[in-house]
Amino acid sequence: MSLENFLKKQISQQGPISIAEFMQLALMHPQYGYYQKQQPFGETGDFITAPEISQMFGEMVGVWVASIWQQLGCPKDFCLLELGPGRGVLMDDVLRATKHLDGFHKCVSVVMVEQSAALQQKQKERLNPWNINIHWLSTAEKLPRKPTIVIANEFFDALPIHQFIKTPQGIREKLVGLDNHSLEFVLSSANASFSYLAHWQEQIEMNQVIETSPASIHVMEQLAEHISQMGGAGLFIDYGYEMPAFGDTLQAVKNHKYHEVLKDIGEADITAHVNFTALAEAAKFTGCKQQQVISQKDFLKNMGIEVRAKELLKKANAKQKLSIESSLHRLIGDAEMGKLFKVLMVA
Ligand code: SAH
């Protein structure tokens, strides 16, 4: 059975499901989910992420990780945690960038939080050469009781969201239902009652969509509580916005092109933009003293990406030069990832 037929059967028996439930199944169904079976990344996949664009991205994250470790007083036994590590490229580059930092590799134990068995396998293959203690978890629930430095790139955008829309009858939830045997977006028949909505409902205009991701908030609360108890910091990079910003950001991508969300379920990536204000507030309420949101451009420049690019250019041939320059532009250009992608740092 395809995932589409599985969903149709479930909806015809039990009624429409939330967009959150739909996303969770489309991305993570143990058999049919997108991340369980596809090879999403790179030129031949569906999309390219920053660590896959250039090694410089992971190196700059490495600079940040190293500086946090030093600010923590170089703890002898600490955890470097990555959420949603994809093919493991970012962690590989961070470990390479910190290789010569005295004591770092001796003191670090790496934890990878990954729900997809197929991607866990890919990550193991890539990181196997490092002589470091690395282990895998499927959720961030039970973390080692040590100072912890967390990194995550394009993780929160894959977590399920709910969508609501303001109608003349009140605020209704957008659901996935059936219309004439095909999957369609429908509205809940009763008014929605999420506490998050109460805060914003005056500001939403008629027919506007508002999104919320309780799953993201839950993960951020777990991490922030852990960091505030054990010491540490977190770096979260994603395509996203700060409130108040309303609108429908749910999107599917297949072969580097936008795709209809309800078509080819399990064959296309589905994401939503990340609400950085909500994540920062969750970190604050759970005890993290610092929360700061800046653009990817500012973050990478602060960490020295332009200096690093210059250094790499010195040793590069003509073809490599072009590639270094174009990837630098993709990562920090205002009309590229530089402004759209944001970085939340909590400590
Ligand atoms: N960070 C990588 C990959 C981003 S894609 C990069 O930048 O290239 C999203 C990643 O998050 C994938 O590895 C996916 O399997 C993982 N993921 C998605 N939902 C998850 C969840 N609920 N728990 C753990 N990992 C998840």
Side-chain angles (χ1 to χ4, degrees):
M1 200 190 334
S2 69
L3 192 49
E4 185 173 330
N5 288 337
F6 171 87
L7 282 168
K8 282 180 177 169
K9 192 167 163 214
Q10 184 183 327
I11 292 169
S12 70
Q13 288 168 350
Q14 296 166 25
I17 58 173
S18 66
I19 289 176
E21 209 177 325
F22 167 78
M23 277 180 90
Q24 180 63 29
L25 285 167
L27 296 178
M28 285 297 176
H29 183 282
Q31 197 179 345
Y32 309 115
Y34 177 73
Y35 283 116
Q36 304 285 3
K37 60 188 180 72
Q38 300 291 319
Q39 299 300 335
F41 309 100
E43 301 287 352
T44 55
D46 295 310
F47 58 92
I48 298 186
T49 58
E52 306 256 347
I53 290 175
S54 163
Q55 65 178 75
M56 292 185 288
F57 181 82
E59 289 168 352
M60 294 307 112
V61 174
V63 170
W64 181 84
V65 168
S67 87
I68 296 292
W69 182 61
Q70 285 169 333
Q71 285 173 50
L72 290 168
C74 305
K76 295 248 163 339
D77 185 13
F78 78 102
C79 170
L80 174 58
L81 174 77
E82 183 177 358
L83 303 161
R87 292 202 285 197
V89 177
L90 176 59
M91 185 57 78
D92 199 28
D93 287 338
V94 167
L95 291 176
R96 194 170 40 73
T98 51
K99 196 168 63 178
H100 299 296
L101 181 63
D102 202 17
F104 186 94
H105 277 208
K106 265 204 213 115
C107 302
V108 71
S109 50
V110 170
V111 174
M112 308 280 269
V113 173
E114 174 60 69
Q115 241 173 46
S116 152
L119 287 173
Q120 275 200 11
Q121 191 48 40
K122 284 250 171 296
Q123 294 155 16
K124 282 180 186 156
E125 283 161 24
R126 185 175 301 261
L127 298 180
N128 196 31
W130 291 108
N131 188 16
I132 281 177
N133 169 16
I134 308 182
H135 75 270
W136 274 261
L137 298 173
S138 57
T139 69
E141 240 150 287
K142 288 199 183 108
L143 300 176
R145 312 233 5 113
K146 312 172 177 182
T148 300
I149 304 175
V150 185
I151 57 175
N153 184 63
E154 293 208 42
F155 166 72
F156 281 109
D157 70 352
L159 296 195
I161 61 155
H162 291 264
Q163 279 192 336
F164 303 92
I165 185 164
K166 189 163 185 170
T167 72
Q169 291 76 38
I171 294 185
R172 300 285 159 101
E173 180 160 6
K174 268 179 92 175
L175 304 169
V176 179
L178 277 176
D179 185 20
N180 223 346
H181 304 293
S182 68
L183 293 173
E184 296 288 346
F185 290 111
V186 299
L187 296 187
S188 64
S189 43
N191 281 345
S193 67
F194 257 75
S195 58
Y196 180 76
L197 293 176
H199 185 73
W200 294 106
Q201 77 185 345
E202 297 305 313
Q203 293 178 52
I204 318 172
E205 283 170 23
M206 200 52 74
N207 298 322
Q208 246 182 351
V209 168
I210 182 168
E211 300 180 336
T212 165
S213 176
S216 301
I217 302 299
H218 178 67
V219 174
M220 182 52 91
E221 284 172 350
Q222 284 175 331
L223 297 172
E225 191 171 339
H226 186 77
I227 288 172
S228 66
Q229 282 175 8
M230 307 308 304
L235 182 77
F236 307 97
I237 307 167
D238 241 301
Y239 193 169
Y241 58 94
E242 291 176 84
M243 288 304 273
F246 308 108
D248 176 356
T249 75
L250 189 69
Q251 65 178 40
V253 166
K254 186 168 162 56
N255 297 325
H256 304 271
K257 292 201 187 82
Y258 289 113
H259 200 76
E260 273 181 61
V261 173
L262 298 181
K263 289 262 150 64
D264 303 312
I265 300 157
E267 309 289 325
D269 187 33
I270 301 177
T271 57
H273 296 179
V274 169
N275 182 342
F276 278 95
T277 307
L279 289 183
E281 277 176 5
K284 185 173 169 189
F285 290 134
T286 327
C288 279
K289 294 219 169 65
Q290 293 171 30
Q291 324 87 33
Q292 191 193 9
V293 181
I294 63 174
S295 66
Q296 172 165 306
K297 171 185 171 179
D298 288 344
F299 171 76
L300 292 175
K301 283 174 100 170
N302 291 349
M303 293 300 123
I305 196 166
E306 287 162 319
V307 179
R308 178 64 180 142
K310 265 192 201 139
E311 204 180 297
L312 288 170
L313 283 170
K314 276 189 213 151
K315 293 177 242 155
N317 62 31
K319 193 173 161 217
Q320 289 166 331
K321 277 191 179 133
L322 276 179
S323 149
I324 294 165
E325 274 157 0
S326 88
S327 49
L328 179 67
H329 179 66
R330 278 179 80 178
L331 292 173
I332 67 173
D334 284 347
E336 304 272 336
M337 300 174 83
K339 283 248 167 89
L340 301 171
F341 277 74
K342 296 184 173 52
V343 180
L344 166 64
M345 288 173 274
V346 308

